Amino acid sequence: MEGTVFNQRYLLKGKIGVGERSEVYLADDLQQPRLLAVKVFHSQYSSDPSFVQRFPLEAQTTSSLNHPNIIDVFDWGNEYGLYYMVMEYVDGSNLKELLAVEGKALPGRAAEIAMDVCSALDFAHRHNLVHGDIKPSNILISKTGQVKVTDFGIARAGSGGTAAQYISPEQAQGLAVDGRTDIYSLGIVLYEMLIGRPPFDDADPTTVAYKQVREEPVPPTALNPEIPPVLEAVVLKTMAKNPAERFQTAQQMKDELMRFLGKIPAAPAPVTMAAPVAEAKKSSAAAWAWAGVIVTILVVAGIVLAVVFTRDGGETVQVTNVVNMKLEDASIALEQQGLKVGDIEDQYMESESQEADVVVAQDPAAGSEVKTGNKIKLTVIKELRMPNVTGLSKSDAVNNLKKQNLTVVEIDNKPVEEEEEIGKVVSQSPAGGSLVSPDVTVKLEVGVEPTTVTVPNVVGMEEDKAKKELEDSGLDVQVEEDVSPDVPEGQVMSQDPTSGQTLEKGGTVTMVVSKGPS
């Protein structure tokens, strides 16, 4: 496949990955200087009705997931009898390759990787998309340490499914799945990072699937005593057989990992008041007396607190600084102060050095005195990339732009020679993949049938050949004859209009054919 060009734009250079369903190639973008990854699905999928039906929808859905921990999908299509996807290129390795070299990860690093995957999953789940194939080979890590999840949606578009070592019990039983399925699979990946192998393994996938449903994993600390018990608790909770006993959202799992890493305070332990054993043996009358005292104390304390907090209209706090935090982390930090996130203003990325979902401004500013319950307005970086609509029909191109909230569109007609370009977008500005904002003016050139024709040169041709040349150009021909001592009989002596001039399609060219010498 090296040297193949997809969509007249993506030049495949070399193979960088091979999977069960596809091969991945490094590619040059011929329209702008950048490297891309092109996933080319094996040829058998082109004749798989289920794949053919689902592929466009899955590709469209995946391309709409704009998140720093999810691989960007820029383009997709079908050429040479092969389906392909054009994706962001990550200069690094997948987690499977890293574990093959390193064996396992330190607890802190394993938690950080899992936390970033949680961010990706939470974003996808909030957009009603379940990954369904979380495993180490679908988790990419760049040389700078950035974590990216790939194969959203497409994992389920082809035949075959998740490797048995990573499927949830409900997947193994053919039951309905939801976001908690991805949480279970991520728990297995986290287990493997800590131990160096998945909890259930066997040469027979059926045996592995049975273990996923029926057997409990060996606790991580039994295999590696250096694993912190807090982290082990997270792993085991994610791998509960019953989905109702797992974390119910990826954000909940992420919060626990952040607490383990010390990035947010630990949840306060519930306060209980237990009577001493000796007191428990006292008469019920004495117990009720003590209860009355305690209730009285609590009531008085409540009245005092109510006076303190309502005297000035509520407790005040100093607003914490959340600038440069991820939006999710900023929300948690404000909630811990008793504050709320108010209006969120989008500020769109202008350069690749910026990071999406990061807070860049807050109002009121950090250090301001506000009452608890107040809302803090945040300005957050948002990523919006221009979709590639070249080659689409005008209506499809406009619809794709509208889905990205790009509504300011200018369309110009461009005469084209190739019949297959008529009615299709032949050029666009900005280019596909460019960072844009919703108010950008998108300019499209749509191919139309040419209305004028450039007259070809037929002087010196034989009459029949000249006539065919003009008619193939969409012109009518009128023939006149004249004698000539210099031009052989049957050759064109002159033409009107001359070559290079333009005529309306269907216009007439008069050519004078030699009769030879008189």
Side-chain angles (χ1 to χ4, degrees), residues 145-170:
Q146 187 176 18
V147 176
K148 296 266 189 177
V149 180
T150 187
D151 266 3
F152 267 98
I154 301 304
R156 295 173 289 112
S159 60
T162 307
Q165 291 92 336
Y166 305 97
I167 61 173
S168 65
E170 54 269 28

PDB file of all heavy atoms in Angstrom, residues 145-170:
ATOM      1  N   GLY A 145       4.172  11.591  26.986  1.00  0.00           N
ATOM      2  CA  GLY A 145       3.357  11.045  28.069  1.00  0.00           C
ATOM      3  C   GLY A 145       1.865  11.275  27.925  1.00  0.00           C
ATOM      4  O   GLY A 145       1.098  10.868  28.799  1.00  0.00           O
ATOM      5  N   GLN A 146       1.422  11.910  26.834  1.00  0.00           N
ATOM      6  CA  GLN A 146      -0.006  12.149  26.673  1.00  0.00           C
ATOM      7  C   GLN A 146      -0.723  10.855  26.304  1.00  0.00           C
ATOM      8  O   GLN A 146      -0.252  10.091  25.471  1.00  0.00           O
ATOM      9  CB  GLN A 146      -0.265  13.206  25.601  1.00  0.00           C
ATOM     10  CG  GLN A 146      -1.735  13.616  25.511  1.00  0.00           C
ATOM     11  CD  GLN A 146      -1.972  14.734  24.527  1.00  0.00           C
ATOM     12  OE1 GLN A 146      -1.137  15.010  23.668  1.00  0.00           O
ATOM     13  NE2 GLN A 146      -3.112  15.396  24.638  1.00  0.00           N
ATOM     14  N   VAL A 147      -1.874  10.622  26.937  1.00  0.00           N
ATOM     15  CA  VAL A 147      -2.655   9.400  26.730  1.00  0.00           C
ATOM     16  C   VAL A 147      -3.794   9.685  25.762  1.00  0.00           C
ATOM     17  O   VAL A 147      -4.524  10.674  25.907  1.00  0.00           O
ATOM     18  CB  VAL A 147      -3.209   8.876  28.066  1.00  0.00           C
ATOM     19  CG1 VAL A 147      -4.098   7.661  27.842  1.00  0.00           C
ATOM     20  CG2 VAL A 147      -2.057   8.527  29.013  1.00  0.00           C
ATOM     21  N   LYS A 148      -3.953   8.812  24.766  1.00  0.00           N
ATOM     22  CA  LYS A 148      -5.017   8.957  23.771  1.00  0.00           C
ATOM     23  C   LYS A 148      -5.699   7.599  23.586  1.00  0.00           C
ATOM     24  O   LYS A 148      -5.028   6.584  23.412  1.00  0.00           O
ATOM     25  CB  LYS A 148      -4.448   9.410  22.428  1.00  0.00           C
ATOM     26  CG  LYS A 148      -3.802  10.799  22.444  1.00  0.00           C
ATOM     27  CD  LYS A 148      -4.789  11.855  22.036  1.00  0.00           C
ATOM     28  CE  LYS A 148      -4.118  13.193  21.841  1.00  0.00           C
ATOM     29  NZ  LYS A 148      -5.084  14.216  21.381  1.00  0.00           N
ATOM     30  N   VAL A 149      -7.033   7.613  23.586  1.00  0.00           N
ATOM     31  CA  VAL A 149      -7.798   6.389  23.340  1.00  0.00           C
ATOM     32  C   VAL A 149      -8.242   6.392  21.884  1.00  0.00           C
ATOM     33  O   VAL A 149      -8.721   7.416  21.371  1.00  0.00           O
ATOM     34  CB  VAL A 149      -9.026   6.307  24.264  1.00  0.00           C
ATOM     35  CG1 VAL A 149      -9.813   5.026  23.999  1.00  0.00           C
ATOM     36  CG2 VAL A 149      -8.577   6.346  25.721  1.00  0.00           C
ATOM     37  N   THR A 150      -8.079   5.273  21.210  1.00  0.00           N
ATOM     38  CA  THR A 150      -8.447   5.170  19.804  1.00  0.00           C
ATOM     39  C   THR A 150      -9.510   4.108  19.598  1.00  0.00           C
ATOM     40  O   THR A 150      -9.863   3.370  20.511  1.00  0.00           O
ATOM     41  CB  THR A 150      -7.207   4.849  18.941  1.00  0.00           C
ATOM     42  OG1 THR A 150      -7.555   4.915  17.557  1.00  0.00           O
ATOM     43  CG2 THR A 150      -6.652   3.476  19.272  1.00  0.00           C
ATOM     44  N   ASP A 151     -10.026   4.030  18.381  1.00  0.00           N
ATOM     45  CA  ASP A 151     -11.011   3.024  17.950  1.00  0.00           C
ATOM     46  C   ASP A 151     -12.368   3.192  18.610  1.00  0.00           C
ATOM     47  O   ASP A 151     -13.093   2.221  18.806  1.00  0.00           O
ATOM     48  CB  ASP A 151     -10.498   1.598  18.194  1.00  0.00           C
ATOM     49  CG  ASP A 151      -9.824   1.039  16.947  1.00  0.00           C
ATOM     50  OD1 ASP A 151      -9.718   1.777  15.957  1.00  0.00           O
ATOM     51  OD2 ASP A 151      -9.419  -0.125  16.962  1.00  0.00           O
ATOM     52  N   PHE A 152     -12.767   4.426  18.946  1.00  0.00           N
ATOM     53  CA  PHE A 152     -14.117   4.630  19.454  1.00  0.00           C
ATOM     54  C   PHE A 152     -15.119   4.316  18.355  1.00  0.00           C
ATOM     55  O   PHE A 152     -15.005   4.800  17.240  1.00  0.00           O
ATOM     56  CB  PHE A 152     -14.320   6.082  19.908  1.00  0.00           C
ATOM     57  CG  PHE A 152     -14.049   6.287  21.357  1.00  0.00           C
ATOM     58  CD1 PHE A 152     -12.834   6.779  21.780  1.00  0.00           C
ATOM     59  CD2 PHE A 152     -15.007   5.992  22.302  1.00  0.00           C
ATOM     60  CE1 PHE A 152     -12.567   6.976  23.119  1.00  0.00           C
ATOM     61  CE2 PHE A 152     -14.756   6.186  23.647  1.00  0.00           C
ATOM     62  CZ  PHE A 152     -13.536   6.676  24.057  1.00  0.00           C
ATOM     63  N   GLY A 153     -16.112   3.499  18.691  1.00  0.00           N
ATOM     64  CA  GLY A 153     -17.167   3.189  17.734  1.00  0.00           C
ATOM     65  C   GLY A 153     -16.731   2.205  16.686  1.00  0.00           C
ATOM     66  O   GLY A 153     -17.404   1.212  16.420  1.00  0.00           O
ATOM     67  N   ILE A 154     -15.575   2.446  16.046  1.00  0.00           N
ATOM     68  CA  ILE A 154     -15.106   1.575  14.976  1.00  0.00           C
ATOM     69  C   ILE A 154     -14.797   0.193  15.519  1.00  0.00           C
ATOM     70  O   ILE A 154     -14.857  -0.800  14.813  1.00  0.00           O
ATOM     71  CB  ILE A 154     -13.857   2.175  14.309  1.00  0.00           C
ATOM     72  CG1 ILE A 154     -14.212   3.563  13.755  1.00  0.00           C
ATOM     73  CG2 ILE A 154     -13.336   1.300  13.203  1.00  0.00           C
ATOM     74  CD1 ILE A 154     -15.388   3.566  12.803  1.00  0.00           C
ATOM     75  N   ALA A 155     -14.491   0.119  16.804  1.00  0.00           N
ATOM     76  CA  ALA A 155     -14.212  -1.192  17.405  1.00  0.00           C
ATOM     77  C   ALA A 155     -15.380  -2.136  17.226  1.00  0.00           C
ATOM     78  O   ALA A 155     -15.216  -3.343  17.091  1.00  0.00           O
ATOM     79  CB  ALA A 155     -13.916  -1.023  18.903  1.00  0.00           C
ATOM     80  N   ARG A 156     -16.595  -1.571  17.205  1.00  0.00           N
ATOM     81  CA  ARG A 156     -17.781  -2.410  17.099  1.00  0.00           C
ATOM     82  C   ARG A 156     -18.351  -2.454  15.698  1.00  0.00           C
ATOM     83  O   ARG A 156     -19.342  -3.111  15.447  1.00  0.00           O
ATOM     84  CB  ARG A 156     -18.848  -1.885  18.071  1.00  0.00           C
ATOM     85  CG  ARG A 156     -18.427  -2.020  19.510  1.00  0.00           C
ATOM     86  CD  ARG A 156     -19.419  -1.350  20.442  1.00  0.00           C
ATOM     87  NE  ARG A 156     -19.347   0.099  20.326  1.00  0.00           N
ATOM     88  CZ  ARG A 156     -20.303   0.838  19.814  1.00  0.00           C
ATOM     89  NH1 ARG A 156     -21.383   0.289  19.337  1.00  0.00           N
ATOM     90  NH2 ARG A 156     -20.178   2.139  19.751  1.00  0.00           N
ATOM     91  N   ALA A 157     -17.718  -1.707  14.754  1.00  0.00           N
ATOM     92  CA  ALA A 157     -18.262  -1.676  13.394  1.00  0.00           C
ATOM     93  C   ALA A 157     -17.862  -2.909  12.601  1.00  0.00           C
ATOM     94  O   ALA A 157     -18.536  -3.302  11.677  1.00  0.00           O
ATOM     95  CB  ALA A 157     -17.789  -0.424  12.670  1.00  0.00           C
ATOM     96  N   GLY A 158     -16.731  -3.504  12.947  1.00  0.00           N
ATOM     97  CA  GLY A 158     -16.286  -4.690  12.213  1.00  0.00           C
ATOM     98  C   GLY A 158     -16.703  -5.959  12.910  1.00  0.00           C
ATOM     99  O   GLY A 158     -17.146  -5.954  14.039  1.00  0.00           O
ATOM    100  N   SER A 159     -16.566  -7.060  12.220  1.00  0.00           N
ATOM    101  CA  SER A 159     -16.850  -8.337  12.858  1.00  0.00           C
ATOM    102  C   SER A 159     -15.748  -8.635  13.851  1.00  0.00           C
ATOM    103  O   SER A 159     -14.674  -8.084  13.810  1.00  0.00           O
ATOM    104  CB  SER A 159     -16.922  -9.434  11.799  1.00  0.00           C
ATOM    105  OG  SER A 159     -15.702  -9.521  11.102  1.00  0.00           O
ATOM    106  N   GLY A 160     -16.024  -9.518  14.785  1.00  0.00           N
ATOM    107  CA  GLY A 160     -15.047  -9.780  15.844  1.00  0.00           C
ATOM    108  C   GLY A 160     -15.266  -8.783  16.956  1.00  0.00           C
ATOM    109  O   GLY A 160     -15.924  -7.776  16.807  1.00  0.00           O
ATOM    110  N   GLY A 161     -14.719  -9.003  18.111  1.00  0.00           N
ATOM    111  CA  GLY A 161     -14.964  -8.102  19.227  1.00  0.00           C
ATOM    112  C   GLY A 161     -13.743  -7.967  20.088  1.00  0.00           C
ATOM    113  O   GLY A 161     -12.631  -8.217  19.683  1.00  0.00           O
ATOM    114  N   THR A 162     -14.010  -7.547  21.317  1.00  0.00           N
ATOM    115  CA  THR A 162     -12.943  -7.342  22.265  1.00  0.00           C
ATOM    116  C   THR A 162     -12.226  -8.653  22.566  1.00  0.00           C
ATOM    117  O   THR A 162     -12.837  -9.711  22.611  1.00  0.00           O
ATOM    118  CB  THR A 162     -13.541  -6.776  23.571  1.00  0.00           C
ATOM    119  OG1 THR A 162     -14.318  -5.637  23.252  1.00  0.00           O
ATOM    120  CG2 THR A 162     -12.460  -6.407  24.542  1.00  0.00           C
ATOM    121  N   ALA A 163     -10.917  -8.598  22.787  1.00  0.00           N
ATOM    122  CA  ALA A 163     -10.169  -9.780  23.206  1.00  0.00           C
ATOM    123  C   ALA A 163     -10.784 -10.309  24.496  1.00  0.00           C
ATOM    124  O   ALA A 163     -11.187  -9.545  25.378  1.00  0.00           O
ATOM    125  CB  ALA A 163      -8.704  -9.412  23.403  1.00  0.00           C
ATOM    126  N   ALA A 164     -10.874 -11.614  24.617  1.00  0.00           N
ATOM    127  CA  ALA A 164     -11.579 -12.226  25.751  1.00  0.00           C
ATOM    128  C   ALA A 164     -11.023 -11.782  27.089  1.00  0.00           C
ATOM    129  O   ALA A 164     -11.761 -11.693  28.078  1.00  0.00           O
ATOM    130  CB  ALA A 164     -11.500 -13.745  25.624  1.00  0.00           C
ATOM    131  N   GLN A 165      -9.705 -11.483  27.152  1.00  0.00           N
ATOM    132  CA  GLN A 165      -9.099 -11.083  28.431  1.00  0.00           C
ATOM    133  C   GLN A 165      -9.674  -9.775  28.972  1.00  0.00           C
ATOM    134  O   GLN A 165      -9.506  -9.467  30.143  1.00  0.00           O
ATOM    135  CB  GLN A 165      -7.576 -10.909  28.278  1.00  0.00           C
ATOM    136  CG  GLN A 165      -6.830 -12.205  28.034  1.00  0.00           C
ATOM    137  CD  GLN A 165      -6.681 -12.483  26.560  1.00  0.00           C
ATOM    138  OE1 GLN A 165      -7.458 -12.010  25.755  1.00  0.00           O
ATOM    139  NE2 GLN A 165      -5.647 -13.246  26.212  1.00  0.00           N
ATOM    140  N   TYR A 166     -10.366  -8.986  28.112  1.00  0.00           N
ATOM    141  CA  TYR A 166     -10.805  -7.653  28.535  1.00  0.00           C
ATOM    142  C   TYR A 166     -12.321  -7.469  28.470  1.00  0.00           C
ATOM    143  O   TYR A 166     -12.811  -6.381  28.759  1.00  0.00           O
ATOM    144  CB  TYR A 166     -10.117  -6.591  27.672  1.00  0.00           C
ATOM    145  CG  TYR A 166      -8.609  -6.726  27.689  1.00  0.00           C
ATOM    146  CD1 TYR A 166      -7.949  -7.408  26.665  1.00  0.00           C
ATOM    147  CD2 TYR A 166      -7.857  -6.235  28.742  1.00  0.00           C
ATOM    148  CE1 TYR A 166      -6.571  -7.570  26.684  1.00  0.00           C
ATOM    149  CE2 TYR A 166      -6.479  -6.393  28.776  1.00  0.00           C
ATOM    150  CZ  TYR A 166      -5.842  -7.066  27.746  1.00  0.00           C
ATOM    151  OH  TYR A 166      -4.481  -7.240  27.783  1.00  0.00           O
ATOM    152  N   ILE A 167     -13.069  -8.521  28.109  1.00  0.00           N
ATOM    153  CA  ILE A 167     -14.516  -8.345  28.001  1.00  0.00           C
ATOM    154  C   ILE A 167     -15.164  -8.363  29.375  1.00  0.00           C
ATOM    155  O   ILE A 167     -14.680  -8.990  30.314  1.00  0.00           O
ATOM    156  CB  ILE A 167     -15.167  -9.410  27.099  1.00  0.00           C
ATOM    157  CG1 ILE A 167     -14.937 -10.817  27.652  1.00  0.00           C
ATOM    158  CG2 ILE A 167     -14.677  -9.303  25.669  1.00  0.00           C
ATOM    159  CD1 ILE A 167     -15.703 -11.891  26.888  1.00  0.00           C
ATOM    160  N   SER A 168     -16.290  -7.677  29.476  1.00  0.00           N
ATOM    161  CA  SER A 168     -17.058  -7.666  30.727  1.00  0.00           C
ATOM    162  C   SER A 168     -17.926  -8.908  30.798  1.00  0.00           C
ATOM    163  O   SER A 168     -18.179  -9.565  29.776  1.00  0.00           O
ATOM    164  CB  SER A 168     -17.937  -6.417  30.768  1.00  0.00           C
ATOM    165  OG  SER A 168     -18.909  -6.490  29.740  1.00  0.00           O
ATOM    166  N   PRO A 169     -18.424  -9.264  31.974  1.00  0.00           N
ATOM    167  CA  PRO A 169     -19.320 -10.421  32.081  1.00  0.00           C
ATOM    168  C   PRO A 169     -20.549 -10.290  31.190  1.00  0.00           C
ATOM    169  O   PRO A 169     -20.999 -11.261  30.594  1.00  0.00           O
ATOM    170  CB  PRO A 169     -19.694 -10.437  33.563  1.00  0.00           C
ATOM    171  CG  PRO A 169     -18.528  -9.790  34.242  1.00  0.00           C
ATOM    172  CD  PRO A 169     -18.061  -8.726  33.304  1.00  0.00           C
ATOM    173  N   GLU A 170     -21.093  -9.056  31.081  1.00  0.00           N
ATOM    174  CA  GLU A 170     -22.285  -8.892  30.244  1.00  0.00           C
ATOM    175  C   GLU A 170     -21.965  -9.073  28.756  1.00  0.00           C
ATOM    176  O   GLU A 170     -22.781  -9.589  27.987  1.00  0.00           O
ATOM    177  CB  GLU A 170     -22.953  -7.538  30.498  1.00  0.00           C
ATOM    178  CG  GLU A 170     -22.065  -6.322  30.349  1.00  0.00           C
ATOM    179  CD  GLU A 170     -21.391  -5.908  31.649  1.00  0.00           C
ATOM    180  OE1 GLU A 170     -21.159  -6.775  32.510  1.00  0.00           O
ATOM    181  OE2 GLU A 170     -21.088  -4.719  31.779  1.00  0.00           O
TER     182      GLU A 170
END
